[in-house]
Amino acid sequence: MFDIANDSPTGASLSAAIAAQVRVRRTQRGLSAAELARQAGLSKATVSALEAGRANPTVDTLDAVALALRIPLTDLLTRGTDPGPVLLRGTAMPDEGPAREMLRRIGGGRSVELWRLRLPPRTQVDGVAHSPGTTEILLVADGSVTAGPAAEPAELSAGDLLAFAGDQAHLYRSGGDPAEVAMLIASPVPGTS
Amino acid sequence: MFDIANDSPTGASLSAAIAAQVRVRRTQRGLSAAELARQAGLSKATVSALEAGRANPTVDTLDAVALALRIPLTDLLTRGTDPGPVLLRGTAMPDEGPAREMLRRIGGGRSVELWRLRLPPRTQVDGVAHSPGTTEILLVADGSVTAGPAAEPAELSAGDLLAFAGDQAHLYRSGGDPAEVAMLIASPVPGTS
DNA sequence: AACATTCGTTCACTATATCGAACCACTGTC
DNA sequence: GACAGTGGTTCGATATAGTGAACGAATGTT
């Protein structure tokens, strides 16, 4: 069965992520912790605990911090994601009721390209390795293809979905029939870091 | 001057926004408040207060709720819904040779989520309006669906691709057969400008 | 040198977010 | 009817997030 990777593993790592975010964005802005506390209308103790990762702040305090840092609230909650490939077969979902499940979130600062790839029978296309951090997502619309990292390609048929890191050698190869694939390339924008 | 538009106008409305989000996403998932509390490991009182908009939850509780709802934590904090319809219909590819064609490029500074949506026959799911600037891309893997902006949905069948602005009311509705849709949500990261 | 600021942490106290239980409304089921 | 189960709200009790003050350490000022 498919264990869909949720990027929220533990609550503990959440406060750690918040701590890192706050500290980074604060120093980026050239603020001292005391000054941040002042501008946010919080006590120094709160900010100190926040950045030490031993806090479980309320949304109000987080909002105050975000406002003082001039960043959107959600930016403080982005956790580091370093996923492996996601392979989703056509029948992976449970049977009952309507279902909507997130398979993967790709961090901010991305440029997204949407491609459509058509392969005549028995054709192979070698994908160029993109810049580090690039994620490719394939959705097989018709036919069947062998695609993915060159080291470990996957057999896909219509309805299958594959997400993998695009910063390595990869390929798309059709079988006996023509194949159509929707491809999405999410690459990091070089400037945001 | 550049006052970075924080999507948190007032601190008070924040809890209201969270309340609305939680309630909508919960009913969408067909959960009762009691069941949500159970799955999230919270007390019914907490969930009740949350949905009543008279709570200032900690990130841990919010995270628990988001996890139980199978949605990213930040989705509970998004607020503001603006229109701006854009529709792109993926049609047939040319016939000869291998082809790789870029259909659309979405500007940088995006966060990308990959979802899978499964619809039993004759089922409608109302999509929650995402933050402004969000783009949704649907690829119908199986069956046929009527999807898109609520004001102007499109008829899609297997292999069809639809991209539209997700920051408005939208829907996914299946016909007589069950449908499977891969859904991609590209949302702007407001910190980058 | 002594003094004044500012920074960041730690501590007891207060405010409050969460819990557990009680409660009422509603829906079956016998 | 009585009864058991679920859903949602309200209310004290409790755990804890936040505060305010004190502290040592740096740094600058006279």
Side-chain angles (χ1 to χ4, degrees):
Chain A
M1 94 173 224
F2 284 97
D3 220 11
I4 293 177
N6 195 328
D7 58 348
S8 347
T10 76
S13 78
L14 214 177
S15 57
I18 294 175
Q21 278 295 321
V22 171
R23 173 151 285 167
V24 166
R25 308 300 278 257
R26 173 176 68 80
T27 54
Q28 246 178 16
R29 268 209 145 238
L31 292 177
S32 68
E35 177 108 356
L36 172 59
R38 216 167 298 127
Q39 294 199 16
L42 301 171
S43 68
K44 290 193 298 177
T46 302
V47 174
S48 181
L50 249 180
E51 294 195 353
R54 77 181 101 77
N56 176 23
T58 64
V59 292
D60 274 1
T61 57
L62 262 195
D63 195 39
V65 170
L67 194 63
L69 290 175
R70 304 288 198 132
I71 61 176
L73 170 56
T74 55
D75 273 23
L76 293 178
L77 298 169
T78 54
R79 254 170 297 211
T81 56
D82 42 0
V86 171
L87 176 59
L88 185 59
R89 292 292 180 185
T91 58
M93 296 278 285
D95 269 349
E96 305 299 331
R100 195 159 67 156
E101 264 177 294
M102 184 175 67
L103 303 176
R104 170 177 296 184
R105 156 164 279 177
I106 302 173
R110 301 269 162 165
S111 156
V112 179
E113 293 169 8
L114 185 57
W115 296 68
R116 171 162 261 194
L117 176 62
R118 196 180 69 80
L119 291 173
R122 247 167 281 283
T123 305
Q124 173 164 344
V125 174
D126 293 317
V128 182
H130 303 108
S131 49
T134 299
T135 298
E136 282 202 17
I137 300 165
L138 303 182
L139 309 153
V140 180
D142 195 31
S144 65
V145 297
T146 302
E152 191 184 8
E155 300 277 345
L156 307 172
S157 50
D160 283 355
L161 181 145
L162 173 68
F164 62 95
D167 55 0
Q168 54 185 319
H170 52 280
L171 56 88
Y172 324 92
R173 182 172 53 219
S174 60
D177 295 315
E180 288 212 4
V181 179
M183 180 172 58
L184 206 124
I185 303 178
S187 48
V189 176
T192 44
S193 63
Chain B
M1 62 179 272
F2 288 109
D3 223 10
I4 290 185
N6 199 328
D7 51 354
S8 350
T10 78
S13 79
L14 214 177
S15 56
I18 294 175
Q21 279 295 321
V22 170
R23 173 150 285 168
V24 167
R25 308 300 278 254
R26 172 176 68 79
T27 54
Q28 231 180 28
R29 256 203 159 245
L31 291 178
S32 68
E35 176 102 0
L36 172 60
R38 217 167 297 129
Q39 293 200 17
L42 301 172
S43 68
K44 290 194 297 177
T46 302
V47 173
S48 182
L50 248 181
E51 293 195 355
R54 80 180 98 80
N56 176 22
T58 64
V59 292
D60 274 0
T61 58
L62 263 195
D63 194 40
V65 170
L67 193 65
L69 290 175
R70 305 288 201 130
I71 60 176
L73 169 56
T74 54
D75 272 24
L76 293 178
L77 300 168
T78 56
R79 172 183 14 196
T81 60
D82 283 344
V86 174
L87 194 73
L88 173 71
R89 178 146 199 152
T91 51
M93 296 275 288
D95 268 350
E96 304 301 327
R100 198 156 68 155
E101 197 179 357
M102 186 171 70
L103 300 176
R104 184 183 221 180
R105 158 166 266 167
I106 302 173
R110 301 270 162 164
S111 155
V112 180
E113 292 168 11
L114 187 55
W115 295 69
R116 164 161 268 199
L117 177 61
R118 194 181 69 82
L119 291 174
R122 248 168 279 281
T123 305
Q124 172 165 343
V125 173
D126 293 318
V128 179
H130 305 288
S131 47
T134 299
T135 299
E136 283 203 16
I137 300 166
L138 304 182
L139 180 84
V140 182
D142 194 30
S144 64
V145 297
T146 302
E152 191 184 8
E155 300 278 344
L156 305 172
S157 50
D160 280 355
L161 182 79
L162 171 69
F164 64 95
D167 56 359
Q168 53 185 318
H170 52 281
L171 57 88
Y172 322 93
R173 182 173 52 218
S174 60
D177 296 315
E180 289 213 3
V181 179
M183 179 171 58
L184 211 125
I185 302 179
S187 48
V189 179
T192 48
S193 59

